Amino acid sequence: MTILAVAMEFNIVTTSTAETIELGRKFGQQLKGGEIICLIGTLGSGKTHLIKGIADGAGADKSETNVNSPTFVLVNEYQGRFDIYHIDAYRFESIEEFEQIGFDDFCYRNSVVLIEWADKIMPALNQQDCIVIKLEHKGQNERSFHFKNISSDITL
Amino acid sequence: MQKDGKQINILAIETSCDETAAAVVTNGKIIRSSIVSSQVKLHEAYGGVVPEIASRAHIEKIYPVVQEVLNQANMTKDEIDAIAIANQPGLTVALIVGVTAAKTLAFAWGKPLIAINHIHAHMQAALLEHHEIQLPAAALVVSGGHTSIYDCHDPLAPKLLGHTIDDAAGEAFDKVASMLKLPYPGGPSIEKAAKTGNGKAIRFPRTMLDKDSLNFSFSGIKTAVLYHCQGQDMKGQSLVDKMTSQQIADIAASFQAAVIEVLVKKTKRAVKKTNAKTVLLGGGVAANSQLRQQLQQMCDNQKPAVKLLIAPKKYCTDNAVMVASLAYYKYVKNMFADLALEPKATG
């Protein structure tokens, strides 16, 4: 008999950038490879900082300084326990543009794909089993993170 | 410097992000032709210009752009001495189009290939109109995608001293412009709005990081402007619609003042650290007049004064002239790439 991992939801509030990075780090440490992670949240809601943590947890070198926003360059690549692709959909004006940056080539067993502003390209992902993280402002320094569709053995 | 008194003509290609660009430059200084795809209408037969962030867009434009720079330079392939290509850093699917085209031309025409770093080329743009440079130099490259400081003891091997750890300065300009509902691109919009504003109206944060750090962080100021525009609880509608144009001008001016103060102070740190005699400024944000003025002031105030060289406004944003210009100095030193050259996302 196969026991299927149950998909879980979590809600977590952080009160500083350092806590946001730490939350990402914990999550990144438990990634197995092959995940596509969609981040949805407005300007300044903590997407890039969470990804700094995730990349660090996934073993990327000097993540605190090397992970930066790919808004203009569209894709950053980091090397950790996995090949990490950090995409920013902010500037995309169509699903086609997103597909043409090589998205399909980024998704494989030993890669982790992180997508900021994923709400802009969600229709392109409908065949994929994605983890979705919704980020919200709660106050000047507080941010809430709602994790959806993460595997039940992950603790945050 | 000319090899055997001969004129060296370099054809360069640049496809690291949105732009498909090519140029022919002689001896690193004399611009024979330059095309940046978004800035011109290519002949209708080639399908015109469709701004698009995609590999396909580069593929469609690369041939007409290269053909057109040769036409405009009034040259044939026989007069070209080398092919230069910006092969890093950038978007892999975009870089690969330029790299493949450059390798193909180099092979088919039997010309040497020269690999250029896109960010190093932005520094080179500051030297286009100058014939002498006193070394060592410190270079600030500031654009939508990059905010980096380099130590240029050896101009062909710049050493990275610091870079942004979150948002690039140009990205912060664009995002703040969108918060203030000013038109894209954000850099010129903010600069224009700021002209009638008071830069001291709002004290936005200046993130300097550690005492000796030459890294940058602009996500804090972006969020501070957001909270200023949206109300401290981030609930409800943006307040921007109800603001007077003076209030918007004050936000733009205060934001611009804060970003420029950080850029200038960090450059000053780099000057002290490297004992620089020259400062080079390149990248899209180098077109900002306030940044130019204040960096000039800082350089003039150094003892002894430091010379500031700035990229011509035309060549601040992505272009192939800067690639061809830097390639000339690699050409005279026989620093060639082989046909196994690959694009590289980082670097």
Side-chain angles (χ1 to χ4, degrees), chain B residues 150-162:
Chain B
Y150 289 83
D151 171 0
C152 304
H153 270 83
D154 173 357
L156 289 179
K159 198 176 131 226
L160 183 63
L161 296 175

Side-chain angles (χ1 to χ4, degrees), chain B residues 152-206:
Chain B
C152 304
H153 270 83
D154 173 357
L156 289 179
K159 198 176 131 226
L160 183 63
L161 296 175
H163 59 90
T164 182
I165 62 166
D166 39 55
D167 298 355
E171 173 183 346
F173 270 86
D174 263 318
K175 288 189 170 162
V176 166
S178 105
M179 288 174 208
L180 297 178
K181 306 193 174 175
L182 299 170
Y184 184 91
S189 289
I190 296 268
E191 185 177 0
K192 194 172 158 208
K195 275 191 183 138
T196 52
N198 172 7
K200 291 183 177 152
I202 308 140
R203 178 77 193 172
F204 288 125
R206 277 85 167 145

Side-chain angles (χ1 to χ4, degrees), chain A residues 80-125:
Chain A
R81 281 186 288 126
F82 318 104
D83 301 334
I84 304 164
Y85 296 98
H86 177 188
I87 304 174
D88 192 328
Y90 182 81
R91 292 202 300 133
F92 291 122
E93 284 173 8
S94 69
I95 303 291
E96 289 72 31
E97 285 183 346
F98 171 72
E99 287 165 342
Q100 285 171 19
I101 59 160
F103 173 68
D104 287 345
D105 299 335
F106 299 153
C107 306
Y108 45 89
R109 187 76 210 102
N110 197 42
S111 76
V112 168
V113 181
L114 298 147
I115 310 169
E116 295 196 38
W117 295 93
D119 41 326
K120 296 193 74 173
I121 50 88
M122 264 337 220
L125 300 171

Side-chain angles (χ1 to χ4, degrees), chain A residues 42-45 48-49 52 63-75 77 88 90-93 96-98 100-102 105-106 117 137-143, chain B residues 17-18 51-57 90-93 144-146 163-168 170-171 174-175 178-179 184 215 219 222-224 226-227 232-235 345-346:
Chain A
T42 181
L43 286 168
S45 58
T48 305
H49 282 108
K52 271 181 190 289
S63 305
E64 299 250 348
T65 52
N66 283 346
V67 172
N68 52 34
S69 167
T71 294
F72 271 80
V73 298
L74 307 173
V75 184
E77 298 178 19
D88 192 328
Y90 182 81
R91 292 202 300 133
F92 291 122
E93 284 173 8
E96 289 72 31
E97 285 183 346
F98 171 72
Q100 285 171 19
I101 59 160
D105 299 335
F106 299 153
W117 295 93
H137 289 266
K138 287 282 166 194
Q140 188 79 259
N141 299 308
E142 293 82 47
R143 301 286 185 272
Chain B
C17 195
D18 299 359
E52 205 177 354
I53 309 162
S55 175
R56 199 191 66 215
L91 182 65
T92 305
V93 293
H146 308 280
H163 59 90
T164 182
I165 62 166
D166 39 55
D167 298 355
E171 173 183 346
D174 263 318
K175 288 189 170 162
S178 105
M179 288 174 208
Y184 184 91
N215 284 337
S219 72
K222 174 188 72 183
T223 307
L226 183 71
Y227 277 82
Q232 296 305 314
D233 59 358
M234 284 294 289
K235 303 269 190 281
T346 54

